[in-house]
Amino acid sequence: MRWGCHLPRTSWGSGVGRTPQSSDEHISFLTHRSWPFKGVPPLGSPRAFIRHHGNSADSDPRPGRHGQLFRSISATEAIQRHRRNLTEWFSRLPREERQFGPTFALDTVHVDPVIRESTPDELLRPSTELATGHQRTHAGLPPLALSQLFDPDACGRRVQTVVLYGTVGTGKSTLVRKMVLDWCYGRLPAFELLIPFSCEDLSSLGSTPASLCQLVTQRYTPLKEVLPLMTAAGSRLLFVLHGLERLNLDFQLAGTGLCSDPEEPRAPAAIMVNLLRKYMLPEASILVTTRPSAIGCIPSKYVGRYGEICGFSDTNLQKLYFQLRLNQPDCGYGAGGSGVSATPAQRDNLIQMLSRNLEGHHQIAAACFLPSYCWLVCATLHFLHAPTPAGQTLTSIYTSFLRLNFSGETLDSTHPSNLSLMAYAARTMGKLAYEGVSSRKTYFSEEDVRGCLEAGIKTEEEFQLLQIFRRDALRFFLAPCVESGHLGTFVFTVPAMQEYLAALYIVLGLRKTALQRVGKDVVEFVGRVGEDVSLVLSIVAKLLPLRILPLLFNLLKVVPRVFGRMVSKSREAVAQAMVLEMFREEDYYNDDVLDQMGASILGVEGPRRHPDEPPEDEVFELFPMFMGGLLSAHNRAVLAQLGCPIKNLDALENAQAIKKKLGKLGRQVLPPSELLDHLFFHYEFQNQRFSAEVLRSLRQLNLAGVRMTPLKCTVVATVLGSGKHPLDEVNLASCQLDPAGLHTLMPVFLRARKLGLQLNSLGPEACRNLRDLLLHSQCQITTLRLSNNPLTAAGVALLMEGLAGNTSLTHLSLLHTDLGDKGLELLAAQLDRNKQLQELNVAYNGAGDAAALALAKAAREHPSLELLHLYFNELSSEGRQVLRDLGDSGDSGEGGARVVASLTEGTAVSEYWSVILSEVQRNLNSWDPARVQSHLKLLLRDLEDSRGATLNPWRKAQLLRVESEVKTLLEQLGGSGC
C-alpha cells in the first residue's frame, strides 16, 4: 500500500420546504408534488464559506437585489421562502459526513475545483490515451471561477447556456451544491431567481406530460407567486440542470416538437429540450452538469460555453482542502462519549506530514487530483487517528465512498438493461484488481487493462457501453503511474482500492473458472430437460431389459450435486488463498495493516528487509480484511443499493469456507502484528458469533510492540471484549497505551489472568483505570506487570485502593516506576490492606535505606507475601547488609517474605541472580546507562567481597560465573568491568 474528498453527491429529495428529516433517509425532494411551508424561521447567519478563490467569505446571507422584477412584497417573500427552503435542503449532511464531528458543516470547508474552458473541437477529438483524457492541454484558456461562468465569451457574445462536465469524482454535485447555497446567501447577485432540477428525478416521471410551471410548483411551492413573472425575468432567471446524462434528450424536430409556452404540458425531456433550444424562455440562463459521455446529446450551437471540471489539479488546492477538513476542532468525539479529541498540535502534525508526502510523493498527489479521493484520504485518516464511531469499519468507509459517488448512477440511461455503473465497474475493474492480487502486481500495462475491459465483448451495444465507462468512470479507478521506472503503466488510483475491488469481485461471485461456467450451463440444461428425460427412461426401462438405463437415470440426479461440490471447492480455494495472504510471515512490512495504511498516506515508510532496494513482492494484506468486511450485513445492504447485491446464501457459504480455513491456521502462535491483523479481520466482519467460534482457542493475546492507537484498542475490545473464555495472558508491553486506551480495553482486561503493561509511559492518571479494574467484581487478574512506567507515589496511592478491595492479584511488578522513598513508605503503610499478594517487585525505584527497610519489615509481617524485590535502589552497603540479615532471619523463622536486594546472600550467590540480570538485560536500552552502571558496579563489588570471604570452591566458582555475567553487561554499557 503506497499511498486518497470530495463532498458527497448532491442527493435532492422531497424535503425542501418540509420539516427536516433524518439525513440517513434516502429522500428525493423533486418527486414530491406539493407541500406547505410552515414555521420556518428567518434565514439566519450561516457559516461562512472558506473558498480558495475567496469571494464573499464571511459574508452573511442577503436577500439579494430584486430590482423591479420582484419588487412586490408577495414576490419578495416568496423568493425569501424559496431561499430558506433550498438552504435547509442543500445544507443537510449525509451520515458519512457526520463522522467528522457534531459541528462539522460542508459550507465551512469548501474549496472550488479547477474549471477550465474547453471548445467543441476538443470534445469531438477522439482520445488516443487509455486513461489520461483529463491531461489534455488547455493552452490559452485560464481557469474559470463560478462567478465567471456566464461572462461574455472571447468574441464578446453573451453566454446563456453553460455546460460543465467531468468524470465521476471530480465534484459536479458539490459544485451545484455550492452554487445553490451561494445564491441562497446572496453571493450571486446577477441572478434574482435560481431553480435547480435533478435530471434523475425528471427521468423518473417518464413521458408523463407536465408543463414547466407544474414542474416548478410541484417542487418549489413558494414560487407559485412569481410564476407569472418568469417570462419577464430574462437572464436573471437561472435554471440548474444537474446530471443531464439521466435524460434521453432528442433535439430532432421529428422527435421533440417546438414548444414555447411554459404552461403547456409536455414530457419532461421535451420541456428541457425546448429550454436548451432557447425556444422556451429564450432569455433565461441555464447551467448544465453532465458526464463526458453525454456532452454530445446537446448540439453545440445551443451551448455558449463548455467547462471541464478538472478537480484539484493544483497541489495547493489539495493542501487547503486537507487543512480545512482535518483541522476541525470537534472531530474527535467517540461513539460513547469516551473518546479524546486530538489536540491542535496533533492535528497540525498530521497535516504537515500529509503535505510533505503530497510534495514528495507524486502518486498520492495524482490520486488527490479527484476531490472525491481527497475525501477518502480525510475519512481514512480520521478513522485511523480519531476515536472511532460505533460500527464504523474500513470496509464501510470504502463502501460509503462508492455510494457517495455511484449511488443511482447507471451506465447508460437510454439502454434497456439500466445497468448500474458500479456493477459494471465491479465486473471489469474487479477482474483487473483480482488478477493483480493473484499475480502480486500493482502496475498494469495498457494491454492488461484492455484485456479486462474488452473480455467477453461481442456486440456493438456492449462496445458502446464500454466506451461510456471509459469516458465517465475509468479515470476514477485507474491513474497513469508517475513513479520512475514504471512510466507508461497504470495503477489503481488508491492502492487499497485494488484490494477492495478484488474482494468485491470474489464475494459477488464474478470469478468463475471455465469448468464452473460449463458446469453451470450443464446443470441448467439438465434442470430443464431432466424431468422429461427421466420419464422417458423409466418407460423404456420397463419395456426393454436394458441395464444401462437405470444408470443414466441416476446420473441425471448426480450432476447438480457434482456441480455444487465443485463450487464449494472453489470457495474453499479462495478462502485458503485469503487466509494464507493474511498470515504471510515473509512480508517485508512488519507493521500491521493499519500502520501500513497510515504510513502510505502520511509518507512514513515501514521497515523493509532490504531498505536500499525496491520491494520484490507486493503485499495485499487488506484483501482478506475487505473480503470479511464485504460479507457484513451493513456493507451488503449498501452494495445492494449500488446494484451489486450479494446473495445471503453466497455470503453464508463464503463465511463457512473462511471459518473452516481460519479454524485450522488461526490456532498457530502468531507474531503480534499478524495477530492484530487477524483481530482486525474479525472487526471488519462484524459478526460476533463467527468471531467467538473462530477465536475460541485463543488463550494468549500477545501484542507487545504494536502501537495501540484508539482505533486498535477499539478493534481489540470489540472483537475480544464479548468473549466468555478467560485469556491466560494479555501482553501489551511497549504499546504506547494511554488512559483512554486502558478504558477502552477494560472488557479484555477482565478476561485476563496475567496482564503485562510494561513500557507504556503510563502515569498516575492511568492508575485510576487500573484501580477500577482491580475493584471490578469480574476481575480475575493474578499477575500485573507495570514496570517501566512513571506511576510515581501518586499512582501507587490509587493502586493501593484497588489492592485493598481485590481478591485475585498475587503478583505485582512495580519495577522502575519512579516511586521513590514516598512510594515505598506508602506501600509499607498500606500493604496489610491486601491479604492475597505473594510477590512484590519494587526494584530500581530510587528508594533509600529507611524506606526500603520499612517496606521489608511490612513484608515480613504480611500473611501471604513470599518475595520482595528491592535491588537497584539507592541502598548503601550497610542497608543491603541489614536487608540480607532480615532475609536470613526470615528464612530461619516462621513465615515472612524473602527480600532480594543483591546478587549475593551472605557468601553465596542469590538464587534470584538470573532474575535480576535478565531484568537488566531486557531493559538495557531503556534505563539510564549511568545509573545502571553504578548499580552494577556495586553488585560486582558485593560479588567480589563474598568471593573473598568464602573458602568453598563451589561457591567461588558460582560467584565467578555471576561476576563474568555482570562484567559482560558493563561492557555492553561501555563501562569498565574491572
Side-chain angles (χ1 to χ4, degrees), residues 768 771 774-775 795-806 830 833:
R768 299 183 184 276
R771 176 196 61 188
L774 293 172
L775 292 175
V796 167
L798 294 170
L799 281 179
M800 292 308 299
E801 295 178 17
L803 283 174
N806 180 269
Q830 300 189 27
R833 298 177 63 186

Side-chain angles (χ1 to χ4, degrees), residues 824 838 840 842 851-861 865-871 873 875 879-891 895-906 910-912 916:
L824 263 65
Q838 297 177 10
L840 176 62
V842 289
L853 183 59
L855 181 58
K857 290 180 178 179
R860 288 255 308 121
E861 299 172 359
L865 196 64
E866 299 174 356
L867 189 62
L868 175 65
H869 300 262
L870 283 171
Y871 49 88
N873 280 293
L875 304 176
R880 290 196 300 277
Q881 184 60 47
V882 172
L883 290 174
R884 278 196 294 267
D885 296 341
L886 187 64
D888 293 339
S889 63
D891 292 340
R898 186 83 171 267
V899 179
V900 180
S902 177
L903 292 174
T904 60
E905 294 177 358
S910 171
E911 63 180 283
Y912 298 101
I916 298 175

Side-chain angles (χ1 to χ4, degrees), residues 676-754:
L676 183 66
D677 290 346
H678 188 191
L679 297 179
F680 185 60
F681 167 83
H682 290 278
Y683 178 78
E684 290 291 311
F685 198 7
Q686 296 280 299
N687 188 322
Q688 290 186 355
R689 178 180 297 179
F690 175 92
S691 300
E693 293 178 2
V694 173
L695 297 173
R696 188 180 300 163
S697 60
L698 182 66
R699 288 293 182 269
Q700 291 188 340
L701 179 64
N702 180 17
L703 297 177
V706 175
R707 186 173 60 93
M708 294 299 292
T709 61
L711 172 61
K712 296 176 188 177
C713 292
T714 300
V715 168
V716 175
T718 302
V719 175
L720 297 177
S722 59
K724 302 300 181 183
H725 67 275
L727 296 171
D728 294 338
E729 183 175 4
V730 174
N731 185 2
L732 295 174
S734 190
C735 289
Q736 302 180 35
L737 278 170
D738 57 13
L742 294 180
H743 178 82
T744 303
L745 291 168
M746 187 72 74
V748 181
F749 294 163
L750 291 175
R751 295 177 53 195
R753 288 176 176 164
K754 293 182 180 180

Side-chain angles (χ1 to χ4, degrees), residues 223-286:
L223 295 184
K224 285 182 179 179
E225 301 287 340
V226 299
L227 281 181
L229 303 175
M230 274 202 315
T231 55
S235 62
R236 290 169 292 179
L237 170 62
L238 174 62
F239 287 99
V240 178
L241 308 181
H242 178 55
L244 195 70
E245 69 275 357
R246 300 306 297 266
L247 287 177
N248 186 10
L249 302 183
D250 185 359
F251 280 81
Q252 303 256 349
L253 287 176
T256 305
L258 298 175
C259 177
S260 62
D261 186 359
E263 296 185 1
E264 181 179 344
R266 290 291 185 97
I271 298 292
M272 296 302 113
V273 166
N274 281 287
L275 274 177
L276 292 167
R277 282 173 173 166
K278 293 302 174 184
Y279 201 78
M280 182 184 294
L281 301 180
E283 297 297 320
S285 300
I286 303 175

Side-chain angles (χ1 to χ4, degrees), residues 960-978:
L960 281 171
R961 178 191 172 190
V962 177
E963 283 181 38
S964 66
E965 296 283 347
V966 174
K967 290 178 181 179
T968 302
L969 289 174
L970 283 169
E971 290 175 359
Q972 292 180 22
L973 288 168
S976 173
C978 302

Side-chain angles (χ1 to χ4, degrees), residues 377-445:
V377 168
C378 290
T380 305
L381 287 177
H382 188 268
F383 174 72
L384 293 174
H385 294 278
T388 307
Q392 187 184 60
T393 64
L394 184 64
T395 311
S396 71
I397 288 178
Y398 274 73
T399 306
S400 297
F401 167 68
L402 294 176
R403 186 179 75 84
L404 290 174
N405 287 279
F406 290 93
S407 179
E409 293 283 355
T410 57
L411 188 60
D412 183 4
S413 59
T414 64
H415 196 271
S417 66
N418 203 31
L419 180 62
S420 160
L421 183 57
M422 188 62 227
Y424 193 89
R427 192 176 71 210
T428 54
M429 292 293 95
K431 177 179 175 62
L432 180 67
Y434 179 74
E435 289 183 357
V437 170
S438 58
S439 59
R440 312 199 66 76
K441 69 177 183 178
T442 57
Y443 304 97
F444 303 93
S445 66

Side-chain angles (χ1 to χ4, degrees), residues 602-661:
L602 299 176
V604 181
E605 296 294 336
R608 291 178 179 174
R609 184 175 297 171
H610 303 290
D612 298 330
E613 299 178 5
E616 297 177 355
D617 199 7
E618 295 291 345
V619 181
F620 296 99
E621 291 183 299
L622 275 178
F623 169 64
M625 313 302 168
F626 283 138
M627 269 199 70
L630 289 171
L631 293 176
S632 70
H634 169 74
N635 286 309
R636 284 177 9 206
V638 176
L639 287 171
Q641 298 173 11
L642 294 174
C644 301
I646 301 174
K647 296 179 181 179
N648 291 330
L649 183 60
D650 289 342
L652 178 62
E653 292 178 350
N654 275 309
Q656 289 175 343
I658 292 172
K659 182 167 66 174
K660 182 178 179 181
K661 298 302 178 183

